[in-house]
Amino acid sequence: MRVLVGIPCLLTGGTEIQTLSLVEALVAAGHRPLVVCYFEHNEGMAKRYEDAGAEVRLLSADGKRPAGIKAVTAHLWKGLREAVKEFRPEVAHVQYMAPGTLPILILRALGVKKIVATSHTAGDIYSRKGLRVIKLLTNHVLSGFQCITERAERSYFGTSKLFDGTRGKHFTIYNNIPSHISILKNPRRAKEAGEDITVGVVSRLEPIKGMDLVVPAFAEAYLHNPRLRLLIVGDGSQRELMERQVREAGIGNVTEFVGRKAQSELQDCYDSIDILLMPSRSEGFGLTAIEGMARGCVVVAANTGGLPEVVQNGVTGLLHEPDSVIDLAEKITELSIDNNLLNTFSQTTLSRAIDFSDETYKTQISALYNTLTK
């Protein structure tokens, strides 16, 4: 089938990475995808989509977003009309991020009858009116509304189900581990008593990711276990704050900032981390968690958003109270002083990672599109 994939921007975020996985799954299933980017874009990311087998159309040559709803509507109408006329898609797969509703309505008005939407967040970011709009779209316009966790699906519709090969009006298909990360075939070598343990983050260093909590929590845990080391991968507005926190805590000798890394380098970073922190204040899914789990990292994550569904508390990792330095420090300490617990979790993460494998995701997307041909 010819599939038009609509997305507001092609930058370097998690949504773009996951949409790239969608493109790869469509190509693997024999479909022909056209990715239409409405606004901002990065040449490198656009090329990655093309290398994956998609045609890419950038509606905004300069990557700028028009100001005002009328200008945005005119921009989308013109660009999508030309794309539909030339490409003649049998299905449109819209990434539901602002503006989410408008492209769906325009595509339907242009004659595209089969439209699937994927939301990458939970419903708590929408007003009651926004949730009503999503339900109306799902019931009367869309062929299906895909969520990335069951918790997110319940936040929209009150019920949820993992996609089982039979199409419903709404369902959950988990995000997959991106192609630049492979699942370890064998468990890591067990940590022995007296060995150093590396605590790490792989993240944008921003408040929404809870990065201001990392150094204080680590410093507290370090008092209980001087074998701990801290590795910070990423960059952002809170780097200066975090560097100051390191100096004030006197832990510069056990802390390393390595900055932002290319995706091709991330696997080596995860392989250097024993305990991976995700103290996010908001997280739709938690792509970093499954990337780390695939490499045997034990994840300590905030009990928020989609993270509790990805990180099974007490089975593959630990959840901490959101925004709590004390609880985060306690979880780090618990893992770092109990080698048996750390080693056990490191092994179980690999079994859990299979649920998010590339093969599993491609099979589900192929099955979903099979239902659209019926």
Side-chain angles (χ1 to χ4, degrees), residues 35 37 47 70 195 208 237 244 255 258 329 356:
V35 176
C37 171
K47 186 176 185 306
K70 289 184 179 180
E195 285 192 81
I208 196 170
S237 66
R244 185 170 68 250
T255 302
V258 298
F356 309 105

Side-chain angles (χ1 to χ4, degrees), residues 1 16 51 63 77 93 132 139 142 182 189 196 221 236 247 255 265 268 295 302 327 373:
M1 287 191 293
E16 290 93 329
D51 290 344
W77 176 266
H93 199 132
R132 286 197 298 270
N139 290 330
L142 294 170
S182 62
R189 180 185 63 81
D196 288 348
R247 290 194 298 272
T255 302
E265 299 176 281
D268 288 341
R295 303 306 299 176
D327 197 32
T373 63

Side-chain angles (χ1 to χ4, degrees), residues 101-123:
T101 301
L102 197 52
I104 292 171
L105 296 178
I106 289 174
L107 287 164
R108 175 49 66 89
L110 292 170
V112 182
K113 295 181 179 179
K114 296 179 180 179
I115 305 174
V116 177
T118 296
S119 174
H120 297 266
T121 62

Side-chain angles (χ1 to χ4, degrees), residues 13 202-211 233-236 260:
V202 180
S203 176
R204 290 183 291 116
L205 306 186
E206 301 294 341
I208 196 170
K209 297 297 185 179
M211 289 298 104
V233 181
D235 210 343
R260 185 180 289 111

Side-chain angles (χ1 to χ4, degrees), residues 131-297:
L131 290 174
R132 286 197 298 270
V133 168
I134 289 172
K135 290 178 181 178
L136 285 171
L137 285 174
T138 303
N139 290 330
H140 302 292
V141 179
L142 294 170
S143 299
F145 191 95
Q146 175 200 342
C147 298
I148 57 174
T149 64
E150 287 197 89
R151 173 181 276 199
E153 187 182 357
R154 287 191 293 272
S155 73
Y156 288 112
F157 304 105
T159 61
S160 68
K161 72 166 187 175
L162 291 173
F163 180 73
D164 59 3
T166 59
R167 192 179 79 210
K169 274 296 187 177
H170 55 84
F171 47 84
T172 293
I173 296 179
Y174 288 134
N175 287 344
N176 68 297
I177 300 164
S179 57
H180 57 267
I181 302 291
S182 62
I183 300 176
L184 277 174
K185 294 181 180 179
N186 298 304
R188 289 185 176 189
R189 180 185 63 81
K191 282 285 183 180
E192 297 180 2
E195 285 192 81
D196 288 348
I197 294 175
T198 298
V199 178
V201 295
V202 180
S203 176
R204 290 183 291 116
L205 306 186
E206 301 294 341
I208 196 170
K209 297 297 185 179
M211 289 298 104
D212 52 301
L213 310 177
V214 170
V215 175
F218 174 85
E220 178 63 29
Y222 181 72
L223 295 176
H224 300 278
N225 187 350
R227 295 183 293 111
L228 291 178
R229 302 292 180 264
L230 179 60
L231 177 65
I232 299 172
V233 181
D235 210 343
S237 66
Q238 294 214 302
R239 177 162 179 167
E240 184 177 345
L241 167 66
M242 296 174 74
E243 289 175 334
R244 185 170 68 250
Q245 290 174 328
V246 167
R247 290 194 298 272
E248 292 174 350
I251 54 173
N253 61 318
V254 294
T255 302
E256 183 179 9
F257 288 84
V258 298
R260 185 180 289 111
K261 292 290 184 179
Q263 288 167 347
S264 60
E265 299 176 281
L266 290 182
Q267 182 161 291
D268 288 341
C269 294
Y270 288 120
D271 289 347
S272 300
I273 295 171
D274 300 299
I275 301 172
L276 179 66
L277 306 184
M278 287 195 70
S280 303
R281 293 185 168 92
S282 177
E283 197 73 60
F285 178 77
L287 199 59
T288 297
I290 61 173
E291 290 180 342
M293 289 163 62
R295 303 306 299 176
C297 299

Side-chain angles (χ1 to χ4, degrees), residues 304-347:
T304 189
L307 288 170
E309 200 165 326
V310 174
V311 181
Q312 298 169 313
N313 189 41
V315 179
T316 63
L318 296 174
L319 298 176
H320 71 86
E321 182 183 342
D323 243 333
S324 173
V325 169
I326 294 175
D327 197 32
L328 177 57
E330 288 178 352
K331 296 301 190 293
I332 297 170
T333 302
E334 180 180 353
L335 287 169
S336 69
I337 64 176
D338 188 339
N339 282 64
N340 289 332
L341 183 63
L342 182 66
N343 293 329
T344 298
F345 282 173
S346 182
Q347 292 184 32

